[in-house]
Structures are given as structure tokens and as C-alpha cells.
């Protein structure tokens, strides 16, 4: 067991991947000598050399274009988009080329590219520094989209993303970069496998990335009122673990989805649809969403009102139809 921050766990994952596989390369804006804005790549250039970890010009579309060419030549690029909204200039490259390369070439070529994106809020940042852009990528066939919520998953999911033969958008909750945990570094559950962090029988809270700890806080607070709340950490948005989510909601009969991004046409809307389709006859109340508001990211002094917190989740739990009706058990 090792005490690490999430940033250190990510750094260790990159370090181990670079040491084990010479085809792995790390590049992006300021990731070399500086070690990245959040120091996730600290020391990698010194250890592995400037041909394995290096800085690029300030041109996100160029970073992704370069990664596509390197992937076609047999490398496994791990690129960093410095902040979530900074990745938008590269969006066309990601959607039109990264996601489609295997299909376009009938499997002759693949794009084993990991696109690391620090995302979401909670750090007092301004617009372009706190976006939650996961829905854009989740809507793009050909991309896998993951978001760790713990130090252990930061290491394990990144190792699996680098090993994956297809492109992975790796969303790193910047608010959690300096959270700490005593962890055993291992690959753990595969991409596409959700995890039940807190078992319960009265309602299911589904979350991913930075919303997971808020869901756990709300579940602990609800326990004081005698409500036994189950918390599911998706870990992976695409592929989506229907089996774990469906089993949980069929058991509890109630469901709330929590995420920081805007509610309209967001990932939560897809989750609600999937739950409703698979669990309709088991539901004892409408499936609810607790999300960020449908506005551009607010100024730092207002973000605490914008982000879903424990109180908003508890309010949603109160809106569920609590009564003595018998649960239908699968």
C-alpha cells in the first residue's frame, strides 16, 4: 500500500507505462520540463528523455493530428489537453479522425491514443477552465470515455486506457488531483465495469468522476434519516455498464443520477433513458437528475451554487415517493 495523491497516481501510471512499453510517448503543452500545469507529468522527461515526454506548440488540433500520425506509425501516444475547454480546437480531429480510424480502414489501422483532459469544476476557475465536456465525447462512436473518482482508479484506469487498442478520452477531475489515499497500485476492474461503492436498499445514486464523493456524502447524511442509499460509481461512461446499474435500480426501486455537467442532453439523460427502459416495472418513483445548470460555467464566487452538492442531492431524495409499497424483487 502506498499513500498517493490522484496526481501522483496518474504520474506513476504514466511512468510505469513508459518503462514497460517503448511505444508509449507522452506529449502536450508544458508536460515536459514543467511537468504539466497540475504536475501530473513531473519528472517524466528527465527520466525517459525528451523523445518520450516532450512539449508541443500551443495548438490542440496539432497535438491530436500529431498523435494520429504517431499512432498510425505504431506508437501509443498519451496526450494532454491542458484544460477541458482547451480541447475544443482539437474536437474536429478527435471526432472525424481519431474515432473513425479503425472503421475507415476496415481494421487495418487503429488509434491507440489516450487523450487526457483535466475536467469539471470545484477549483475556483473561470470559463474555459472548468467545463464538463463528457457528453460531446460520449456521443461519438469509436471513443471510450472514462472518469476516475478515486486515487486507485486514477492509476488502474489510466494503465488500462494506455493498453487499449482504441482511443480513450480520459477525464481527470481536477478538484480531486490532490486528494489522498493509501492504495495498492494495480489495474483493477476493466474499462466498462461500474462499481458499487456503498450498498443500500432504498435508492440508487449513480455518479462518476467528481460527483462520486458528493454522492457518498449525501448517502452518509441520508443514513441519519434512516435511508439506506446505494452509490454506484460508473467509472466508465462509454462503454456503459448496464448490468450493474440495472441490478441496483431493480433492487432499490428508486434512482437519482448526479453529474456536474449541464442537464439538458447530458450523460444523465442517457442514463435515465436506459434505466427507464430496463427497470420501468421496478420503479417506485420517477428517475431524477441532479446536474449543473444549463448555463456557461459561472464565475468562481458562484460555482458553489452551480455544482451539485450534498444538499441538492438530499433534496432530490426527499422528492422521491417514499411510502410502504412493497418492492418488486427480480
Amino acid at each position: 500500500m502506498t499513500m498517493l495523491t490522484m496526481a501522483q497516481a496518474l504520474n506513476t501510471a504514466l511512468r510505469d507505462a513508459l518503462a514497460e512499453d517503448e511505444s508509449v510517448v507522452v506529449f502536450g503543452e508544458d508536460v515536459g520540463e514543467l511537468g504539466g500545469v497540475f504536475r501530473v507529468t513531473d519528472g517524466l522527461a528527465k527520466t525517459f528523455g525528451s523523445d518520450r515526454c516532450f512539449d508541443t506548440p500551443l495548438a490542440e488540433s496539432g497535438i491530436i493530428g500529431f498523435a494520429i500520425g504517431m499512432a498510425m506509425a505504431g506508437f501509443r501516444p498519451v496526450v494532454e489537453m491542458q484544460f477541458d475547454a482547451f480541447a475544443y480546437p482539437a474536437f474536429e480531429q478527435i471526432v472525424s479522425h481519431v474515432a473513425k480510424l479503425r472503421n475507415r480502414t476496415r481494421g487495418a489501422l487503429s488509434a491507440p491514443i489516450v487523450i487526457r483532459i483535466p475536467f469539471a469544476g470545484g477549483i475556483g476557475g473561470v470559463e474555459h477552465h472548468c467545463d464538463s465536456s463528457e457528453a460531446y465525447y460520449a456521443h461519438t462512436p469509436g471513443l471510450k470515455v472514462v472518469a476516475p473518482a478515486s486515487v486507485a482508479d486514477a492509476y488502474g484506469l489510466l494503465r488500462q486506457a494506455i493498453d487499449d487498442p482504441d482511443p480513450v478520452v480520459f477525464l481527470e477531475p481536477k478538484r480531486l488531483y490532490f486528494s489522498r489515499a493509501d492504495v495498492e497500485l494495480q489495474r483493477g476492474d476493466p474499462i466498462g465495469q461500474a462499481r458499487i461503492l456503498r450498498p443500500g436498499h432504498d435508492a440508487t445514486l449513480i455518479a462518476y468522476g467528481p460527483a462520486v464523493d458528493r454522492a457518498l456524502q449525501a448517502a452518509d447524511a441520508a443514513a441519519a434519516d434512516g435511508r439506506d442509499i446505494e452509490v454506484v460509481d460508473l467509472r466508465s461512461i462509454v462503454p456503459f455498464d448496464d448490468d450493474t446499474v440495472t441490478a441496483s435500480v431493480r433492487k432499490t426501486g428508486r434512482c437519482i443520477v448526479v453529474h456536474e455537467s449541464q442537464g439538458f442532453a447530458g450523460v444523465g439523460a442517457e442514463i435515465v433513458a436506459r434505466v427507464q427502459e430496463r427497470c420501468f416495472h421496478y420503479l417506485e418513483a420517477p428517475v431524477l437528475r441532479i446536474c449543473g445548470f444549463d448555463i456557461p460555467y459561472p464565475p468562481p464566487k458562484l460555482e458553489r451554487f452551480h455544482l451539485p452538492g450534498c444538499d441538492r442531492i438530499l433534496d432530490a431524495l426527499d422528492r422521491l415517493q417514499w411510502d410502504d409499497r412493497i418492492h418488486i424483487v427480480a
Side-chain angles (χ1 to χ4, degrees):
M1 302 289 281
T2 307
M3 179 63 71
L4 294 172
T5 65
M6 180 177 282
Q8 289 171 333
L10 293 166
N11 179 276
T12 304
L14 292 170
R15 188 176 296 274
D16 290 350
L18 285 162
E20 293 177 15
D21 186 348
E22 292 186 354
S23 70
V24 175
V25 289
V26 176
F27 54 92
E29 298 166 2
D30 296 322
V31 303
E33 183 177 349
L34 179 65
V37 171
F38 297 100
R39 301 301 185 266
V40 171
T41 58
D42 189 36
L44 298 183
K46 181 177 181 180
T47 302
F48 296 98
S50 59
D51 58 338
R52 302 284 308 282
C53 178
F54 53 89
D55 295 329
T56 65
L58 305 182
E60 287 77 13
S61 60
I63 294 171
I64 296 298
F66 189 40
I68 295 168
M70 294 195 74
M72 293 173 70
F75 290 91
R76 289 183 172 270
V78 182
V79 302
E80 179 180 304
M81 302 283 103
Q82 200 167 75
F83 283 92
D84 25 50
F86 289 10
Y88 297 150
F91 190 70
E92 190 277 332
Q93 292 272 17
I94 296 171
V95 171
S96 297
H97 303 293
V98 173
K100 293 178 171 62
L101 187 60
R102 179 182 290 280
N103 187 68
R104 179 180 295 142
T105 63
R106 299 183 180 182
L109 293 172
S110 62
I113 301 169
V114 178
I115 304 170
R116 294 182 41 245
I117 304 178
F119 91 120
I123 63 167
V126 295
E127 67 168 27
H128 293 104
H129 294 75
C130 291
D131 274 18
S132 294
S133 50
E134 59 268 29
Y136 297 131
Y137 303 108
H139 190 66
T140 304
L143 298 178
K144 295 180 179 178
V145 184
V146 302
S150 68
V151 174
D153 260 353
Y155 178 88
L157 281 173
L158 185 53
R159 291 302 307 275
Q160 295 203 37
I162 295 172
D163 290 342
D164 201 285
D166 289 306
V168 180
V169 175
F170 195 89
L171 301 170
E172 301 171 3
K174 62 177 76 73
R175 180 174 61 82
L176 301 181
Y177 270 140
F178 301 106
S179 60
R180 291 180 175 273
D182 197 15
V183 297
E184 182 177 352
L185 298 179
Q186 54 187 1
R187 282 175 170 81
D189 294 332
I191 292 174
Q193 176 66 59
R195 184 179 297 150
I196 296 175
L197 299 184
R198 189 185 195 281
H201 292 88
D202 293 333
T204 299
L205 293 180
I206 300 172
Y208 55 86
V212 171
D213 65 346
R214 305 288 170 79
L216 288 169
Q217 291 169 16
D220 289 341
D225 293 330
R227 293 175 180 169
D228 188 21
I229 308 301
E230 183 151 296
V231 177
V232 177
D233 175 10
L234 289 181
R235 304 175 66 248
S236 169
I237 299 171
V238 181
F240 187 83
D241 185 356
D242 282 304
D243 291 343
T244 298
V245 169
T246 297
S248 177
V249 177
R250 287 184 176 184
K251 177 179 68 172
T252 65
R254 299 176 176 88
C255 178
I256 297 174
V257 183
V258 186
H259 61 63
E260 285 194 12
S261 60
Q262 296 86 347
F264 185 82
V267 169
E270 173 64 22
I271 297 172
V272 170
R274 299 176 86 88
V275 168
Q276 184 270 340
E277 289 169 356
R278 292 161 175 79
C279 306
F280 182 80
H281 295 290
Y282 298 82
L283 291 173
E284 299 184 18
V287 183
L288 303 180
R289 289 174 292 164
I290 304 301
C291 311
F293 299 121
D294 294 327
I295 59 172
Y297 200 84
K301 290 184 179 180
L302 298 177
E303 72 172 357
R304 62 191 176 94
F305 301 106
H306 175 71
L307 300 176
C310 184
D311 288 343
R312 287 178 59 192
I313 299 171
L314 291 174
D315 287 344
L317 285 170
D318 289 338
R319 288 161 50 199
L320 297 178
Q321 297 171 7
W322 298 97
D323 54 33
D324 295 327
R325 284 179 292 180
I326 298 174
H327 288 251
I328 302 174
V329 180

